[in-house]
Amino acid sequence: MSARTKREEEWSFQDSLKTIQQRLSEPGVRSSAVKKMLAFVVFAEMMGYKAEFAYIHAVKLAQRGSLAEKKMGYMVCVQLLKDCHQLSMLLVNTIIRDLASRNMVTISMALAATCHLIPPDQASAVLPMVADKLSHSNEYIRGKAVIVLHHFLRICPNQAMHYVHRVRALLGDSDPGVVALILQYLLDLKLEQDHEELTKDLCSSIVSIQDQILHGKLPKDYLHHGVSAPWTQLTILKLIRQLQPPILDVQKVLQDTFKAALGDGNISSSPNLSAAIAIECLVTMLELGVASSKFTSLTMSNIGHLLISHNINFRYEGLNLLETLISHLQVNLTRDQQAVVLRCLQHPDNAIKVKSLHLLCKIADSSSAESICDQIIDFLKNHCSNTHLQEQLVSLGMSLSEKYASNTNHWHLAALLRLLPIAKEQSASIQAQLKFALLAVSETEDDASTPNSAHHKVLGYLTKHSESKVAPTSILELYVWMLSNFHRLLAKEADDRAEHKTHVLALEKIVSLGQKVFQNQIQGSLETVPPRIRKLMYEIVDAARVVVLNNFEPCPQLVLFLKTIVSATLTRVFSDATLRCACNELLGILSACPELSEINLKSSNLSEHPDFTLTFMDNFVCGHLEKGGTPYKALPAKPGSRASVLLALELERNHGDSELCNSNLVVADCSLGSSVLSLAGTESARNVAGSVSSVSSEESKCWTFTSQTQEIDLMPVWTKEGRIKADDSTEADSSSSFTDGVSGPSDETSPQLQPGPSISSWLQKSMVDDPLDSLQKDFKEFCHSTDQVPQSN
């Protein structure tokens, strides 16, 4: 306490511990001095200063004959040693010897130390002796033995289960304290699972014990705040609920317990313990199947008293009881009862707010789902900072929007869009649900050509986010997906005389967004690109590929952008083989867009059915082979062989330069995106655990060859005469693609969103109001918020 700095305190402790170490090493040190020094060692350990030299002295003190020394030794060993410590093994024989003693104090100290110092693998050495103490003449020793057996039942149930019957036989003990400990022991056994021998006549025994408690048969020492053995009563009620006996066998004792707990008053005016016993009685009767109208009205009356109570604990238990009631009985809440639950959302205690949200989700229907989902989003935005709780509430909002989706006003789309910036780990799931919901809106339900359609509103909301200075990555990913799949919605912005050119405008928007994200990362000072930005860049390239494949028209801006990305992926900061291969594949497609467009037109005119054998490509491929193009070669049978890695390096070396749009890249480079990673032969080249691996010619130096023997020569698949069809065994599966499985941290941004209305106010709204229109208010708040992370300029 006199130390002025932490350093002085450390010096003081080190000097004292050094002095103690010297004193303990002296041969004639007295036991009284050893006890004082060990007490200081415990204090030093609690302050964070290790004194392992004193552990052996504590063990020696526990092994001595004096009761005071043994007590001090056991206490210090319990404080300093864990059950897995090697010195604990030295105490096993000491504890066994003390358990065999005739001194009750020695036995009690050994039983207390057993729970802390005996590891699970040594339990079989002491359990028989502990079980023998169940028949000891002293009730204190019997209770200690039950506690020790309960401890080993939790840490090594396989060994402790052999003594369950002996504990069960002690249920009729004359001491109420021992009986209470046995009831706790039986509660942890989970007796509903194949314990017929143990559960036989057990219900009648515990009912008899509860009757004795209610009739005041227990000593006055067990009275606590006017309630006789309250914790034992709660254990008995939980045990009855676990045993699931017929309701007629226990209904009378449950009713008597309920009346004795409340007396003539109501549940909200009773003491905490009495109210807890009454609530346990109601929950037990609910789970046992009592469904009379009288019981339901009694339960609802007590729930009403609990929910309007000023006691926070009573209000929380009222919500729990209401949730249990709704789970077991089909109860429809009135408007006033729903209003009482909604008022709980205004409570300052977060636990009550969360429980209210869970309860509202259980009572939700098609008319109130929108308002409840708005309440969840409002709570997530303004009050929730716990990550685990955020995941739970986001899941609740997603389930509500999926279960009660509306085809009239599409409120579920607005709710998912508001949830998307808030969610972090679940943003990918919300995106998937949004995509399914947008694709599910048919043309009959939502005419995409009208400016007020749901698709137009969603695209407009996403466009405003993408054009702002700050934008969540998850919003941008959904935006590029919308552009690639619904680019026809841009007909209003495109030239009226060329409505079929909407894909050109979509490509321009995709390229513009990609340039913003890329420039923002280049200007930043980060040494590596975050995984979420890598995923976004890949989504942008993939969206551009989808638009190009649907139209087969070249785009000079896209070619320049892809070349820039390829050059950047060859650097250390932006090194990404997956993105580079995707860009190379798209560049190869763009370089052959005129030929591919002509082939596509001819194939569509020849037959109504698609030609999956691709025979119409023969002349095209052979023409490029005549011009000197590189033929495609099949993969070797062993992906991990030396030949496969050499082929990967050759392809990277031939096509890794900046001149990527030559015609000779069409055959080889189109397959590069699906073959380079499979040629690597190692899992490091794949998308594992949500990250995009990086494969380059420099990194491939450390690749491990899985086999240096049995290499198979690369067989050509295409020749100048056409495609080889004689031997299909040489053709490898090149369908591995870089899918959306690339996961990473979603978005850290949390835009300020508008709180949702209450149920009553929502019911008064006009059906003309569209929830998608209210997203404009959310966007205005989002733009004025200051807690966003810049993603694009």
Side-chain angles (χ1 to χ4, degrees), residues 99-208:
L99 288 174
S101 174
R102 296 182 179 182
N103 191 324
M104 190 183 70
V105 179
T106 303
I107 296 174
S108 63
M109 287 191 297
L111 289 172
T114 300
C115 295
H116 300 276
L117 300 176
I118 300 297
D121 55 350
Q122 296 293 328
S124 57
V126 298
L127 280 177
M129 303 189 69
V130 173
D132 292 339
K133 303 306 173 187
L134 292 174
S135 58
H136 198 274
S137 59
N138 187 277
E139 65 276 2
Y140 182 79
I141 301 299
R142 295 198 301 270
K144 282 283 187 179
V146 174
I147 292 175
V148 174
L149 291 174
H150 194 180
H151 166 74
F152 284 108
L153 180 67
R154 293 175 175 175
I155 65 172
C156 51
N158 294 332
Q159 301 182 43
M161 283 296 294
H162 299 292
Y163 307 98
V164 172
H165 293 278
R166 299 182 63 175
V167 178
R168 165 70 173 82
L170 202 61
L171 190 59
D173 194 90
S174 59
D175 186 75
V178 177
V179 174
L181 293 172
I182 295 173
L183 291 174
Q184 290 284 345
Y185 178 90
L186 294 176
L187 187 62
D188 270 1
L189 271 178
K190 308 297 181 185
L191 292 175
E192 76 278 7
Q193 301 175 357
D194 302 330
H195 289 91
E196 296 181 1
E197 298 180 359
L198 292 173
T199 56
K200 184 179 180 181
D201 299 329
L202 179 60
C203 185
S204 59
S205 299
I206 60 179
V207 167
S208 175

Side-chain angles (χ1 to χ4, degrees), residues 345-367:
L345 290 174
Q346 309 300 326
H347 200 276
D349 191 283
N350 280 343
I352 293 179
K353 290 181 180 179
V354 174
K355 180 59 66 174
S356 302
L357 290 173
H358 281 273
L359 183 58
L360 288 172
C361 292
K362 283 186 174 292
I363 66 176
D365 52 20
S366 57
S367 62

Side-chain angles (χ1 to χ4, degrees), residues 455-685:
H455 291 111
H456 270 97
K457 293 178 180 178
V458 172
L459 183 59
Y461 175 72
L462 296 176
T463 302
K464 288 186 177 181
H465 269 287
S466 65
E467 293 175 353
S468 61
K469 294 183 178 181
V470 289
T473 307
S474 54
I475 290 287
L476 297 180
E477 290 174 357
L478 185 64
Y479 173 64
V480 296
W481 180 86
M482 284 286 294
L483 288 177
S484 62
N485 290 273
F486 297 96
H487 56 79
R488 67 182 186 279
L489 301 176
L490 302 174
K492 185 178 179 180
E493 301 181 27
D495 190 1
D496 296 336
R497 295 171 296 177
E499 293 185 358
H500 64 282
K501 297 294 184 180
T502 54
H503 63 278
V504 177
L505 182 58
L507 279 177
E508 292 177 356
K509 290 181 175 292
I510 292 173
V511 171
S512 175
L513 177 62
Q515 290 173 346
K516 286 182 180 180
V517 177
F518 179 73
Q519 291 297 329
N520 188 63
Q521 293 303 313
I522 294 299
Q523 296 173 3
S525 59
L526 296 177
E527 295 184 357
T528 58
V529 180
R532 68 181 191 278
I533 301 300
R534 294 175 183 269
K535 181 184 177 184
L536 176 60
M537 293 299 297
Y538 182 81
E539 294 284 348
I540 292 172
V541 175
D542 186 67
R545 181 182 61 84
V546 172
V547 177
V548 170
L549 289 177
N550 288 334
N551 300 276
F552 289 117
E553 290 193 16
C555 180
Q557 296 179 352
L558 180 58
V559 173
L560 181 61
F561 170 69
L562 292 176
K563 289 183 178 181
T564 306
I565 297 300
V566 170
S567 302
T569 55
L570 295 175
T571 62
R572 181 182 62 84
V573 176
F574 220 110
S575 179
D576 195 325
T578 303
L579 183 59
R580 181 168 66 254
C581 292
C583 294
N584 287 340
E585 183 177 354
L586 184 53
L587 280 170
I589 296 173
L590 288 170
S591 63
C593 273
E595 293 89 344
L596 293 176
S597 179
E598 183 179 354
I599 293 173
N600 186 35
L601 181 62
K602 291 181 180 179
S603 63
S604 61
N605 294 332
L606 290 176
S607 176
E608 297 180 356
H609 302 285
D611 185 5
F612 294 104
T613 61
L614 304 180
T615 54
F616 57 88
M617 292 285 294
D618 289 350
N619 295 332
F620 172 74
V621 175
C622 292
H624 276 275
L625 292 174
E626 291 287 352
K627 296 177 183 179
T630 306
Y632 173 78
K633 295 183 179 181
L635 303 179
K638 280 187 171 295
S641 62
R642 181 185 295 273
S644 64
V645 177
L646 293 178
L647 178 59
L649 298 179
E650 181 183 354
L651 291 176
E652 287 286 319
R653 185 165 51 253
N654 291 338
H655 307 302
D657 54 2
S658 58
E659 296 297 327
L660 296 170
C661 58
N662 294 330
S663 61
N664 62 349
L665 297 180
V666 176
V667 180
D669 204 9
C670 285
S671 61
L672 185 62
S674 60
S675 61
V676 169
L677 293 188
S678 60
L679 287 171
T682 58
E683 286 299 326
S684 62

